[in-house]
Amino acid sequence: MDTTSNTHTASSRAAASSTAVTHSMVEGRPAIEDTPAVEHAPVVVNAPVVRDPAPRASGDNTGGNAVNRRVIAEFRANGGVVGGPFAGQCLLLLTTTGARSGLPRTSPACYLAEADGRLAVFPSNGGAATPPAWYRNLTAHPKVTVEVGTRVFRALATEAEGSMRDRLWDRQVAADPQFAAFQERAGRPIPVVVLTPLGDLA
């Protein structure tokens, strides 16, 4: 979560569960077919092969803002538990590959979890007119690394579209009504990004 967006998006409730979703307006991004939360069918995605970002590489989050760096350090020191505005929230760390730099970039983000193990994130950027940098990164390099609690795994970030996007968005707004205000302020469709696990990292 870009702090401008993520500080606000942190109000997703810990009880909420959903799938990760990205911007539905990105050209050439594969869409995921909508399925009920109870369904466990595998997701088949055609995406370019890219290198996996290392979640704790030396270049991790270079240039990130101080608030995000503090949240990341607290998250990793406490097994995914953080205080302050994110206390009690469903929070993950998302490591993307910089679209221009090629370096790993880590940001906190609120999420919803689906029953099939996929997660959804919402690059609202607090209702800003432009999405957060992590969204631009994953549209360029869809393979990401996700940290949830003490678990670290690779995932494929894919844009949700149509009824799936609407279902996930509605769940997020129900869990955290601030997202309705973010959408109104943004003047752009806020993406829903689905993170499909590819395997745990040792």
Side-chain angles (χ1 to χ4, degrees):
M1 114 180 102
D2 209 321
T3 316
T4 49
S5 65
N6 290 325
T7 299
H8 299 291
T9 61
S11 51
S12 319
R13 297 297 159 243
S17 66
S18 173
T19 303
V21 186
T22 54
H23 194 39
S24 57
M25 305 302 292
V26 177
E27 293 296 329
R29 300 289 300 130
I32 294 181
E33 182 179 340
D34 194 8
T35 57
V38 296
E39 200 164 305
H40 297 276
V43 178
V44 178
V45 183
N46 294 320
V49 176
V50 297
R51 62 189 178 85
D52 296 321
R56 293 179 174 83
S58 58
D60 189 6
N61 212 43
T62 301
N65 66 55
V67 174
N68 274 1
R69 287 196 297 270
R70 285 196 297 270
V71 171
I72 291 166
E74 184 179 6
F75 184 105
R76 288 175 172 166
N78 297 297
V81 177
V82 299
F86 304 113
Q89 305 308 314
C90 291
L91 191 70
L92 58 75
L93 298 184
L94 179 66
T95 299
T96 59
T97 299
R100 287 179 294 182
S101 70
L103 296 174
R105 302 293 191 215
T106 300
S107 297
C110 292
Y111 71 92
L112 296 175
E114 291 275 66
D116 62 5
R118 293 181 296 176
L119 307 176
V121 291
F122 308 85
S124 68
N125 209 7
T130 57
W134 58 261
Y135 170 71
R136 294 190 296 273
N137 291 344
L138 63 76
T139 60
H141 303 290
K143 278 192 176 179
V144 300
T145 298
V146 180
E147 297 172 59
V148 177
T150 58
R151 183 186 176 202
V152 183
F153 59 94
R154 296 182 184 88
L156 183 68
T158 312
E159 172 187 356
E161 296 182 340
S163 61
M164 183 182 194
R165 189 266 176 202
D166 293 344
R167 175 177 65 82
L168 292 167
W169 179 256
D170 289 347
R171 289 183 62 194
Q172 180 66 5
V173 169
D176 185 354
Q178 285 190 96
F179 276 83
F182 297 159
Q183 179 64 87
E184 186 174 350
R185 272 203 307 271
R188 62 179 172 88
I190 291 177
V192 177
V193 176
V194 175
L195 305 176
T196 301
L198 299 177
D200 287 8
L201 294 171

